[in-house]
Amino acid sequence: MRRPGRYVLWVVIPVFLVLVFAVTVAALIPDDAAQAMLRRWIEGRGAISFSSRVFRKTLLPGIDMEGVTITGRAKEPMFFFDALSVRPDVLSFFYGGLGLSADGVVKGRGVVKFRVATSMIQRGYARADLTVNDLGLADVPALSTVGLKGSGVGSASAAIIIEPDECPAGTMSASFTDLDLSGLAIPGLSLMFDGKVRSDLSLEALRAAQGRKGRCKALLKRLRVEADGLSVKVHGALYYDFDASAMTIKPDWDESDLTVELEPRTEDKRHMLSALFPQHRMAANFYSMKLKGMRLPQ
């Protein structure tokens, strides 16, 4: 009856000794040298890098940083953290993988929690979980590249799994308040939304490839944008090309089958929509149209 317990000890004890050795070695490395080694390792495996005003190792083990800037391929800032703590995910190790968890604070209010794990057994496998609360969108430099330069506060959650030769699978949801869309370069948008809006999103990515290698599908269950006098809803199938090696996603708008519903709630918005979309008729109290091939007036 005691043998199973002994076998467990023979597995747990070596793992524990390896962890103690790794922590001891890491503790002997100066913080500046550890930061430089970590930056070179990250840059050698992806298109991002980082810098921090304060970098210190902890004995848990882990890393605590302050004044962190995440930069992309073009060396432009993508994200700022007031404080960022990174810890190894020990549970992933016992399941045959390597994992990290990170907790970040932005401008003393926004909280970002991120957890990622890879498998040492199944090459190419990765799982990522993300939670964002009360994040000011103006504090995310990467969003300025698509025109979201104004105010707004957002919260989001996502859980994604990537397996070899498969499309990403998982779910994502998000909500935004006081969002300023004036910077988005979409014809007609400034006419429809002339103030701050509220928005929410629900998306499900499907695992199976669609039609050809690298072509994936996601179900946009709901994208809703509401402002004074107007409500817009988008739903349907979104097709995209996924490159697992570069971790890039390119939407295929021509093949995607999306429907947009516009509901005017004031007489001014009703006249505006009839002028913008004279080829469409309003059914009941809203306009419904396919986005495929649709061109908004300049």
Side-chain angles (χ1 to χ4, degrees):
M1 296 295 293
R2 295 181 180 178
R3 286 187 176 181
R6 291 180 179 179
Y7 292 147
V8 171
L9 287 176
W10 278 111
V11 173
V12 172
I13 290 176
V15 170
F16 177 75
L17 292 176
V18 169
L19 289 175
V20 170
F21 176 76
V23 171
T24 303
V25 172
L28 296 176
I29 302 175
D31 289 346
D32 291 345
Q35 181 178 9
M37 291 170 57
L38 179 61
R39 185 184 297 112
R40 287 195 297 269
W41 185 84
I42 292 176
E43 291 176 349
R45 285 161 176 77
I48 64 172
S49 185
F50 79 98
S51 63
S52 64
R53 188 179 69 255
V54 175
F55 182 100
R56 54 179 175 269
K57 304 186 305 297
T58 63
L59 294 178
L60 289 179
I63 300 170
D64 287 340
M65 294 177 281
E66 297 177 9
V68 181
T69 301
I70 308 296
T71 56
R73 188 186 302 272
K75 303 302 180 183
E76 292 292 332
M78 298 174 60
F79 213 101
F80 294 129
F81 288 101
D82 291 344
L84 181 65
S85 298
V86 182
R87 302 282 184 269
D89 187 357
V90 179
L91 188 62
S92 298
F93 185 82
F94 284 100
Y95 282 97
L98 297 174
L100 291 174
S101 61
D103 293 338
V105 178
V106 181
K107 291 295 179 67
R109 180 181 65 175
V111 176
V112 178
K113 294 181 179 291
F114 184 78
R115 182 181 178 187
V116 61
T118 62
S119 174
M120 294 184 291
I121 300 173
Q122 188 177 9
R123 183 178 178 84
Y125 173 89
R127 177 183 177 89
D129 297 278
L130 173 69
T131 303
V132 179
N133 290 312
D134 299 327
L135 180 66
L137 301 185
D139 301 326
V140 185
L143 294 179
S144 65
T145 61
V146 296
L148 287 174
K149 301 178 181 180
S151 60
V153 177
S155 297
S157 64
I160 302 294
I161 295 178
I162 299 174
E163 297 188 72
D165 300 321
E166 297 282 357
C167 290
T171 59
M172 183 178 73
S173 61
S175 61
F176 307 93
T177 58
D178 295 330
L179 188 61
D180 185 357
L181 302 180
S182 60
L184 292 177
I186 299 178
L189 191 67
S190 60
L191 294 176
M192 290 191 292
F193 300 111
D194 50 4
K196 294 181 179 180
V197 304
R198 303 172 301 279
S199 179
D200 63 90
L201 166 72
S202 178
L203 180 76
E204 179 183 3
L206 305 181
R207 186 183 307 276
Q210 304 289 324
R212 65 174 187 271
K213 184 176 177 61
R215 187 169 184 261
C216 303
K217 179 181 179 181
L219 297 179
L220 181 59
K221 296 183 175 181
R222 182 183 68 257
L223 171 58
R224 180 172 54 189
V225 181
E226 292 191 351
D228 294 338
L230 179 65
S231 174
V232 176
K233 299 176 183 178
V234 184
H235 55 86
L238 175 64
Y239 292 94
Y240 62 94
D241 293 326
F242 175 67
D243 186 341
S245 60
M247 292 299 293
T248 57
I249 292 176
K250 181 180 179 181
D252 186 347
W253 300 115
D254 290 333
E255 293 297 325
S256 296
D257 186 12
L258 298 172
T259 299
V260 59
E261 297 177 358
L262 302 101
E263 180 185 353
R265 295 174 178 173
T266 64
E267 199 62 29
D268 290 344
K269 294 298 183 182
R270 195 182 307 273
H271 290 318
M272 178 202 67
L273 292 182
S274 64
L276 283 173
F277 309 108
Q279 71 276 28
H280 294 278
R281 291 185 177 181
M282 187 170 67
N285 194 38
F286 63 90
Y287 289 82
S288 179
M289 62 194 78
K290 293 290 186 180
L291 286 180
K292 184 183 295 186
M294 188 179 73
R295 294 294 181 267
L296 296 176
Q298 299 288 341

